[in-house]
Amino acid sequence: MPIDCIPFEDTGYFSNLVCDYLKQEEKLASFYRSFPSDAAFLTHAKERNKQFPKTHRRILVEVLKEQYQNIETSSETQQAIQLLAEDTTVTITTGHQLNLFSGPLYFLYKIISTINLSEKLSENYKDINVVPVFWMATEDHDFEEINHFTLHGKKFKWSPERYSDNANGAVGRFTTEGLEDVLKLLKAELGVGHQAEYLVKLFEDTYLNHNTLAEATRYLTNELFAKYGLVILDADHPKLKQLFVPTVLDELQHQTSYKAVTNTSKHLESANYPVQVSAREINLFYLTETSRERIVNVDGTFGVVDSDKIWNTDQELFEEVSAHPERFSPNVIMRPLYQETILPNICYIGGGGELAYWFELKTYFDKVEVPFPVLLLRNSVLLRTDKQYGKQQKLRVSNEELFLKQHELINRKVRQISNINIDFSTQKAHLKDQFEAMYALAEKTDATFLGAVKAQEVKQLKGLDHLEQRLLKAQRLKLKDEVSRLVALQNELFPLKSLQERTINFSEFYLEYGDQLINELKENLDPLSHEFSILTL
């Protein structure tokens, strides 16, 4: 499988914040602790193993064994779970929402990045065990974001009418009722063949044979990645939440996260970076079987938004936190800290948006004295077929040009293949030179004419722009066959004019390539390349 790479910055799809991080710009240095490197990983691993409590390891392993007891587990994953009990073991973690049938392709890329880095570090450091962990976002409650996937340009959606009565609660607790309807549509779309039959069976076994979305997602992820020793964690568990009680109490009493994150966000803004998420005064939800709503403090009394739930005294609330920690759910600000509290983690792998909000958290981690992990941008990939690569070669389109906005790509290629010069840069430069002389003349004779000269210059430059655009339009029509092929290729590779990895489901490529898809991705993706990958299948 041939692989090419281009800088993330050259794709035009990644923020200045992410690109500056990859370039290790000095103005970002205070928002993270260590940039990914062998030395950084080793330092973090040694520190984490010294500081991570043995009781946390024991409880983590107990919970994982409980969660895996009804699922066929590979020997590699069993061994990984056992290794977590040892004080020489650290984790590399990524997380993802419980998207239907995994959602967009980057689900694969996140996990493969995590597995590959874990293997790389395990090979480099023989006295340290490194376990890849997939954190399921089971407590998320944004069902609209996860209830669909896209195959062959069609959206397969879990119908809102089929919600269980906990539609506003944690999605991991949702029942899988109604997904047989999606299965019927999927089966019709996939057609016949070995790969199609496998995908149909995978969907059926995932969603029709498991009661909750959390159980189903664990099964699906395990089926795809168990042989690589991936450990899948659902942190919505009373024993794990108990480990987080001191932090929850601190949040309720002192609003530590709000103060720290708000301060950091101001520094990010002053460095001309947008703030990804804003902290609330209390960054916790109250979680029941049917709802997940914000906890607020109004006039000194704690209560739950859109609910009759209130605590008459602070002590009453604090006692419930200690007795029932599973009812208190961290939001996006506190979830990373919860993760680092219950895992011996040294690195978090995420997309650009995720890294953006992690940068807001460094000061908060320092305040509560929890080690801040290394942050690594996940692999990003554009998959193209041999046929598409052949079309690209015939059209003489470079990899960098593929990522241009469509009108820019068309104009550039029309200029390149046209038998006439459609670039008036020389004429514009000549015109500007002429007006420079006229400015000098006006200053020597009557300076009041400077405005009139400027207006005439602007008018004539606009005229040249207009002529250039008309000529381009005429050439596009003349070269419409080449333009249509160019547009068709880019639309195939960038569905909805967005990155392929953000829209297409893995099943579209699995249908054609089967197990080769994941095998080749794992073989070719380097988690530390810090570049965007283009793979030809």
Side-chain angles (χ1 to χ4, degrees):
M1 178 185 287
I3 181 169
D4 298 315
C5 295
I6 65 172
F8 280 101
E9 190 171 25
D10 291 350
T11 68
Y13 282 93
F14 293 83
S15 68
N16 290 335
L17 177 64
V18 168
C19 294
D20 286 351
Y21 177 60
L22 296 177
K23 292 184 289 187
Q24 301 181 61
E25 292 284 353
E26 182 61 30
K27 63 180 179 177
L28 262 178
S30 63
F31 301 106
Y32 63 94
R33 182 179 170 194
S34 304
F35 190 77
S37 68
D38 283 348
F41 291 130
L42 182 59
T43 298
H44 281 247
K46 289 181 177 179
E47 175 189 81
R48 205 72 175 107
N49 284 334
K50 286 182 180 178
Q51 296 179 350
F52 195 72
K54 290 182 181 295
T55 53
H56 287 214
R57 288 189 182 277
R58 176 179 56 78
I59 291 171
L60 176 63
V61 172
E62 285 179 6
V63 171
L64 284 168
K65 287 181 176 180
E66 175 189 321
Q67 292 182 347
Y68 271 89
Q69 64 183 353
N70 294 321
I71 188 171
E72 186 175 342
T73 312
S74 69
S75 59
E76 290 85 355
T77 296
Q78 290 176 15
Q79 181 183 15
I81 293 173
Q82 288 300 126
L83 285 174
L84 286 169
E86 300 181 10
D87 58 13
T88 54
T89 300
V90 293
T91 61
I92 306 292
T93 303
T94 194
H96 197 59
Q97 295 172 296
L98 308 190
N99 294 72
L100 188 61
F101 213 34
S102 81
L105 269 166
Y106 67 80
F107 166 82
L108 298 185
Y109 307 153
K110 276 186 168 185
I111 294 175
I112 291 171
S113 299
T114 304
I115 291 169
N116 281 350
L117 181 59
S118 298
E119 291 182 355
K120 180 182 178 68
L121 296 182
S122 293
E123 291 172 4
N124 290 348
Y125 308 121
K126 300 301 182 183
D127 55 341
I128 296 174
N129 307 309
V130 186
V131 171
V133 172
F134 177 67
W135 178 288
M136 295 193 296
T138 54
E139 292 180 54
D140 190 6
H141 61 251
D142 196 340
F143 187 71
E144 290 296 329
E145 284 192 4
I146 68 167
N147 67 350
H148 60 276
F149 65 93
T150 301
L151 169 63
H152 298 153
K154 302 176 182 178
K155 181 180 283 190
F156 291 78
K157 187 175 181 179
W158 187 0
S159 175
E161 290 77 18
R162 297 288 187 170
Y163 284 11
S164 57
D165 59 4
N166 64 344
N168 295 316
V171 296
R173 303 180 183 186
F174 278 27
T175 70
T176 53
E177 178 187 356
L179 280 165
E180 62 273 8
D181 295 340
V182 180
L183 176 61
K184 292 176 184 176
L185 296 173
L186 178 63
K187 189 173 183 179
E189 180 65 29
L190 290 173
V192 297
H194 177 69
Q195 261 80 263
E197 291 174 0
Y198 171 78
L199 289 169
V200 168
K201 187 175 188 305
L202 179 62
F203 189 96
E204 182 176 7
D205 289 345
T206 296
Y207 295 106
L208 273 60
N209 294 341
H210 294 89
N211 295 324
T212 68
L213 197 53
E215 293 172 0
T217 303
R218 179 184 290 107
Y219 175 85
L220 173 65
T221 309
N222 184 69
E223 281 293 298
L224 295 174
F225 295 105
K227 67 179 180 180
Y228 303 116
L230 181 70
V231 174
I232 303 157
L233 177 64
D234 177 2
D236 183 10
H237 194 286
K239 289 183 179 179
L240 296 177
K241 288 288 183 70
Q242 189 67 53
L243 303 177
F244 201 50
V245 164
T247 305
V248 172
L249 292 174
D250 174 74
E251 176 70 5
L252 294 169
Q253 291 175 295
H254 305 295
Q255 293 80 55
T256 304
S257 67
Y258 174 72
K259 296 171 184 175
V261 174
T262 300
N263 184 55
T264 303
S265 297
K266 289 178 181 177
H267 288 300
L268 273 170
E269 288 180 321
S270 67
N272 296 317
Y273 296 117
V275 172
Q276 185 73 12
V277 295
S278 297
R280 298 183 182 276
E281 290 191 6
I282 298 175
N283 291 287
L284 291 165
F285 290 96
Y286 189 71
L287 186 63
T288 70
E289 285 303 316
T290 59
S291 68
R292 182 177 183 251
E293 301 290 351
R294 290 190 298 116
I295 297 173
V296 294
N297 189 323
V298 179
D299 298 329
T301 300
F302 287 101
V304 177
V305 170
D306 295 330
S307 166
D308 295 332
K309 178 71 176 180
I310 62 169
W311 290 272
N312 294 315
T313 65
D314 293 359
Q315 188 60 35
E316 183 181 333
L317 170 60
F318 302 155
E319 287 176 357
E320 183 169 353
V321 170
S322 298
H324 298 284
E326 70 277 5
R327 297 176 184 172
F328 297 85
S329 176
N331 74 353
V332 65
I333 293 293
M334 291 189 68
R335 188 212 59 78
L337 187 67
Y338 179 40
Q339 171 189 296
E340 299 301 307
T341 298
I342 65 176
L343 289 173
N345 198 49
I346 63 170
C347 176
Y348 183 76
I349 298 179
E354 290 175 284
L355 264 57
Y357 71 70
W358 273 87
F359 287 131
E360 299 177 40
L361 304 178
K362 173 66 166 53
T363 302
Y364 178 36
F365 272 70
D366 292 343
K367 288 283 186 183
V368 295
E369 299 182 339
V370 173
F372 195 71
V374 177
L375 301 178
L376 179 62
L377 184 65
R378 64 168 172 81
N379 286 118
S380 280
V381 188
L382 173 64
L383 298 176
R384 66 185 172 199
T385 64
D386 269 329
K387 186 176 180 181
Q388 289 167 334
Y389 181 59
K391 291 179 181 178
Q392 182 184 340
Q393 294 295 96
K394 287 181 180 178
L395 290 166
R396 291 177 291 177
V397 178
S398 69
N399 289 329
E400 289 77 10
E401 287 174 329
L402 279 177
F403 289 83
L404 291 172
K405 300 299 182 184
Q406 195 160 95
H407 71 278
E408 294 176 1
L409 174 61
I410 292 170
N411 287 344
R412 178 180 294 193
K413 299 314 291 183
V414 166
R415 283 188 169 98
Q416 288 176 3
I417 64 180
S418 178
N419 56 5
I420 59 174
N421 184 18
I422 317 176
D423 185 353
F424 287 4
S425 298
T426 301
Q427 289 84 347
K428 292 174 186 177
H430 181 63
L431 185 64
K432 288 181 178 180
D433 289 341
Q434 288 182 318
F435 272 93
E436 284 298 325
M438 294 179 69
Y439 284 130
L441 181 62
E443 286 179 344
K444 291 178 181 178
T445 55
D446 189 342
T448 61
F449 282 102
L450 286 173
V453 173
K454 180 63 177 177
Q456 193 61 226
E457 179 188 20
V458 171
K459 180 180 179 180
Q460 293 193 33
L461 286 171
K462 284 184 177 179
L464 284 175
D465 282 334
H466 181 65
L467 288 173
E468 186 176 8
Q469 293 305 314
R470 285 190 64 180
L471 189 56
L472 272 171
K473 184 177 180 180
Q475 283 300 99
R476 285 198 296 267
L477 290 173
K478 185 176 180 179
L479 302 170
K480 62 181 180 180
D481 289 341
E482 288 87 346
V483 169
S484 64
R485 290 199 295 270
L486 189 63
V487 168
L489 175 63
Q490 194 182 51
N491 287 345
E492 287 176 11
L493 295 173
F494 294 82
L496 303 178
K497 293 182 172 55
S498 180
L499 288 179
Q500 176 195 80
E501 64 180 32
R502 297 177 185 174
T503 55
I504 295 176
N505 183 258
F506 84 97
S507 59
E508 187 159 326
F509 287 95
Y510 196 95
L511 188 62
E512 179 70 21
Y513 300 99
D515 289 340
Q516 178 192 352
L517 173 64
I518 292 178
N519 293 340
E520 293 288 353
L521 284 169
K522 185 179 181 303
E523 183 67 24
N524 284 278
L525 296 184
D526 177 3
L528 298 177
S529 71
H530 306 311
E531 290 191 305
F532 194 104
S533 301
I534 305 171
L535 274 66
T536 305
L537 297 169

